[in-house]
Amino acid sequence: MYLLTFLGTADLKVTTYVMGMQRHETRYFAAALVRFLEPTPEYTLIVVTEAARQKHFETLADEIHTVTQPIEVLIPDGCREEELWDIFDTLTQRVPDGSELVVDITNGFRSLPFLSFLAVAYLRKAKGVDVQRVYYGAYEARNERNESPVFDLTPFVTLLDWIVATDRFTRFGDARDLAELLRAGMPTGVQMGQNEKARRLGKSLKWTAEAMEAVSLALRLSRPLESMEQAQRLVQRLQRQCDIVRTHARPFSLLTDRIIQAYRSLALASPQDLDRRLDNLRVQWEIVRWYMEKEQVVQAITLAREWFISLLLYHLTDKALTDRDAREQVEAAITNVAEWQRSQSKQRPPQDTPFTDEVADLASRYSLVDVWNKLSRLRNDLAHAGMRPDASRSSSLLRRARQVVCDLHDLAEELVEGSNLVLEERERSVDTMEKEMILLNFGHPLTQEQRTQIEQLIGGPIDRLIEVATHFDHTRPFAEQVRELVDSLGLTSEEWQHAAIFVNPSTLSAIAMTLLAELHGRMGYFAPVVRMRPVEDVLPPRFEAAEIINLQQVREEARGRRIA
């Protein structure tokens, strides 16, 4: 094992360094540290400039040579940028590949502590060095008995690992490194067996790692329904375990919000329920976009083609999106209509399906066939792995994938016009991605679980939740009391007109209707409404968020029926 330590030219004072039950009096923290460590470092690399070497090296070497072998590492003063690179090279070259290393940054001067941290990160990744600990002897924090504490800075070195692993998970969907770090942070089996807090922490980290690995694997293998369920599980797990993780796994706790934000839009509970078909389509589209943003073209096009079938199945039937027979019939109908647009000599016999005429009657049938053909050709090109004489180059595949996904989006808007299917941020009825999202709750106080459910239905985080106690005097006019209630919210005219406002209304119908009329006057449109429903077979009774009702859209569709 190696100890890497630094010496400057400062006048060092004698103090008693204390690490746990161990104590040692010295001017040099490195002299104390070599005696504290178990096992004792075989070599101690003492990094010095020429001035530091003349002032301190021999004294420190004499003090530690009976315990460890001191090795002088001479560096330049670091007065110019190129000298800083020379220092970095020296630090990284003197530590052998695959060795064990402890670092003492106590007496590093100027930029050396920063360079040493970077060198440590480099050694770990590029040379496979096992950096066991990083210490700082805090002379400036000594007490009245001249005892100086020792700070273990190792977690700040591993913070770089957490940042890189989290970035890899949020940007590319690969959870392997992050899951490994979580498991490495688990208490030992003995600790969990003897201590309740250790047991809770271990379970929390284990479950979180498993949830990350599950959603990561499901996304890599193009399993959208499983991805939704696992993303839902992951978001809930992180939200429920945030307190214990924040207390006992600080590096990870600093990054949990970023992970929640990255995977919230992919989360959906019970995606195969028939009453969630529209939500299922919406989240599947989010997954297609997620793939394209990360240039995972194979997964994006594989899912996009299946989503095309799901879209038509939703438009033509009330069957489950996973109904195999219905999917085959819809795909056959698309193929039949596509064949009609080929020259007669090249047409194949039509397949037996009840949906051919319905697809042929669609106003968008020509663009539908065009998108279907593009998707099919692109998927086939990808599936054959370029093992064809006319295979496209990678850059062409990416360009074609981007274009066909845009075309599919436009087609979907035509097919589901008038539904609540919202695709991409810019198509939201209320532009929630660029505005503050406010939830006005005039019902019972919301639990964290209910808030999470609403955020998933909305497709983004609630920036501000305003809980409104709704108690009315039945001897006074309700319109007057509603006006007072809304005035008490304290929202500015700018917020009324430009924020993304959602409403959970009072369960008393007269209050709810009067409230929506008042809000319409202030906002200029009907606010989207949260509908709560009772959870079945649960005691005591509990409620969950069921849907977001787009009242403005209901109004516009009703106007069309009035005109008709």
Side-chain angles (χ1 to χ4, degrees):
M1 184 168 73
Y2 284 75
L3 170 63
L4 177 65
T5 187
F6 302 85
L7 285 176
T9 57
D11 293 326
L12 303 178
K13 307 297 183 182
V14 174
T15 186
T16 300
Y17 287 103
V18 180
M19 191 167 79
M21 301 300 294
Q22 302 181 91
R23 304 164 59 86
H24 185 77
E25 186 178 72
T26 179
R27 283 197 298 162
Y28 304 104
F29 174 60
L33 188 57
V34 294
R35 292 170 171 84
F36 293 162
L37 294 175
E38 181 61 40
T40 302
E42 186 177 358
Y43 304 101
T44 296
L45 303 175
I46 305 173
V47 181
V48 288
T49 62
E50 179 58 36
R53 185 188 69 81
Q54 294 180 16
K55 186 168 186 176
H56 289 297
F57 178 76
E58 292 298 335
T59 307
L60 175 58
D62 288 345
E63 191 171 339
I64 65 175
H65 78 277
T66 59
V67 182
T68 180
Q69 181 179 337
I71 300 174
E72 176 188 304
V73 179
L74 192 62
I75 60 171
D77 290 333
C79 297
R80 299 187 307 275
E81 184 176 335
E82 55 267 30
E83 289 187 347
L84 297 179
W85 279 109
D86 290 340
I87 294 171
F88 182 84
D89 290 342
T90 300
L91 295 178
T92 55
Q93 290 169 6
R94 294 302 294 267
V95 180
D97 292 10
S99 58
E100 296 178 342
L101 180 68
V102 175
V103 182
D104 161 32
I105 66 166
T106 303
N107 295 313
F109 63 100
R110 291 202 293 269
S111 58
L112 267 181
F114 178 70
L115 282 177
S116 65
F117 259 92
L118 294 180
V120 163
Y122 175 82
L123 288 168
R124 296 174 70 228
K125 297 299 182 183
K127 301 184 69 173
V129 173
D130 179 8
V131 179
Q132 297 191 338
R133 283 287 182 268
V134 178
Y135 289 111
Y136 177 76
Y139 174 77
E140 68 280 2
R142 66 193 181 282
N143 60 23
E144 65 280 358
R145 296 187 296 276
N146 197 30
E147 296 172 332
S148 300
V150 177
F151 297 151
D152 185 351
L153 303 183
T154 312
F156 293 94
V157 176
T158 60
L159 182 59
L160 295 174
D161 294 338
W162 288 97
I163 293 171
V164 171
T166 300
D167 183 67
R168 185 172 180 179
F169 182 42
T170 55
R171 290 179 63 203
F172 307 115
D174 188 346
R176 288 172 291 185
D177 288 351
L178 193 52
E180 183 178 339
L181 286 170
L182 285 169
R183 290 194 173 94
M186 291 174 56
T188 65
V190 174
Q191 290 173 323
M192 288 192 287
Q194 297 175 348
N195 185 284
E196 173 62 25
K197 287 185 178 179
R199 186 157 53 250
R200 287 177 56 211
L201 175 62
K203 288 181 178 179
S204 176
L205 295 178
K206 176 177 179 291
W207 291 338
T208 303
E210 290 174 347
M212 288 179 177
E213 288 174 325
V215 69
S216 177
L217 183 61
L219 286 166
R220 290 204 305 273
L221 297 181
S222 300
R223 294 294 179 268
L225 303 181
E226 184 181 347
S227 297
M228 296 178 205
E229 293 174 326
Q230 296 299 346
Q232 170 84 2
R233 176 177 166 228
L234 172 61
V235 169
Q236 290 182 338
R237 178 70 61 195
L238 291 175
Q239 290 173 332
R240 289 172 182 169
Q241 306 297 330
C242 61
D243 290 338
I244 187 169
V245 169
R246 185 178 295 115
T247 303
H248 299 285
R250 292 293 298 277
F252 180 60
S253 71
L254 299 173
L255 302 165
T256 53
D257 287 344
R258 182 180 173 190
I259 297 171
I260 291 172
Q261 188 65 30
Y263 285 90
R264 189 197 307 270
S265 64
L266 309 186
L268 182 66
S270 306
Q272 298 195 59
D273 287 358
L274 281 175
D275 62 354
R276 308 216 75 173
R277 293 197 312 161
L278 204 57
D279 292 328
N280 188 330
L281 280 174
R282 174 182 57 79
V283 179
Q284 282 197 48
W285 180 255
E286 287 296 322
I287 296 175
V288 171
R289 292 183 61 247
W290 187 90
Y291 284 140
M292 286 305 303
E293 287 171 0
K294 291 154 181 57
E295 296 187 355
Q296 297 181 19
V297 176
V298 174
Q299 293 94 326
I301 297 305
T302 299
L303 178 56
R305 187 178 182 278
E306 294 302 315
W307 190 82
F308 186 108
I309 297 170
S310 298
L311 184 69
L312 275 177
L313 191 150
Y314 173 83
H315 182 76
L316 299 173
T317 80
D318 57 0
K319 295 182 180 295
L321 300 184
T322 53
D323 188 306
R324 182 172 180 175
D325 290 339
R327 294 186 70 84
E328 289 177 351
Q329 290 173 347
V330 168
E331 182 173 357
I334 302 170
T335 302
N336 288 343
V337 175
E339 286 294 320
W340 294 350
Q341 296 188 24
R342 291 159 60 95
S343 62
Q344 197 165 16
S345 61
K346 294 182 179 180
Q347 287 182 12
R348 288 171 291 189
Q351 301 178 53
D352 184 23
T353 170
F355 299 119
T356 299
D357 290 341
E358 292 183 71
V359 173
D361 289 340
L362 291 172
S364 56
R365 61 186 177 279
Y366 294 111
S367 57
L368 182 150
V369 169
D370 179 60
V371 172
W372 176 255
N373 288 337
K374 287 179 180 178
L375 276 172
S376 298
R377 287 194 294 267
L378 185 53
R379 189 199 64 166
N380 289 341
D381 199 339
L382 291 166
H384 287 286
M387 301 304 294
R388 287 181 169 185
D390 59 346
S392 300
R393 297 187 65 83
S394 300
S395 57
S396 174
L397 290 171
L398 178 59
R399 184 171 60 254
R400 288 165 58 195
R402 287 172 174 161
Q403 183 58 56
V404 76
V405 168
C406 290
D407 294 344
L408 180 56
H409 168 267
D410 294 339
L411 175 63
E413 283 192 318
E414 297 178 40
L415 288 176
V416 297
E417 184 179 2
S419 78
N420 288 324
L421 180 63
V422 182
L423 304 180
E424 300 184 1
E425 291 81 356
R426 61 184 174 85
E427 271 69 46
R428 296 182 185 277
S429 56
V430 179
D431 191 3
T432 59
M433 298 307 292
E434 297 182 4
K435 301 177 181 179
E436 181 182 21
M437 194 177 299
I438 301 173
L439 175 59
L440 306 178
N441 180 32
F442 296 90
H444 293 290
L446 296 175
T447 65
Q448 181 59 51
E449 182 179 9
Q450 290 169 334
R451 177 171 178 164
T452 300
Q453 292 166 351
I454 294 171
E455 288 177 335
Q456 290 165 358
L457 291 171
I458 291 172
I462 296 169
D463 298 306
R464 200 179 347 161
L465 171 61
I466 302 178
E467 299 276 9
V468 188
T470 309
H471 304 293
F472 273 37
D473 181 354
H474 287 264
T475 64
R476 292 178 57 202
F478 273 20
E480 177 182 311
Q481 294 182 74
V482 164
R483 184 170 61 253
E484 294 171 355
L485 190 67
V486 175
D487 285 340
S488 71
L489 300 177
L491 297 181
T492 66
S493 59
E494 181 77 8
E495 289 171 323
W496 281 121
Q497 295 177 49
H498 298 293
I501 298 175
F502 295 77
V503 179
N504 182 31
S506 166
T507 54
L508 188 61
S509 59
I511 295 177
M513 289 186 290
T514 309
L515 173 66
L516 293 173
E518 176 72 19
L519 294 179
H520 184 284
R522 301 192 186 214
M523 298 168 61
Y525 63 93
F526 281 111
V529 168
V530 178
R531 179 174 72 86
M532 307 295 288
R533 65 184 173 199
V535 178
E536 295 182 359
D537 302 322
V538 172
L539 290 176
R542 278 194 299 116
F543 287 80
E544 64 181 3
E547 65 174 326
I548 304 297
I549 304 175
N550 188 337
L551 292 184
Q552 186 67 20
Q553 184 171 311
V554 171
R555 175 184 180 275
E556 295 302 326
E557 292 178 359
R559 283 175 60 85
R561 288 190 288 273
R562 181 187 69 183
I563 295 171

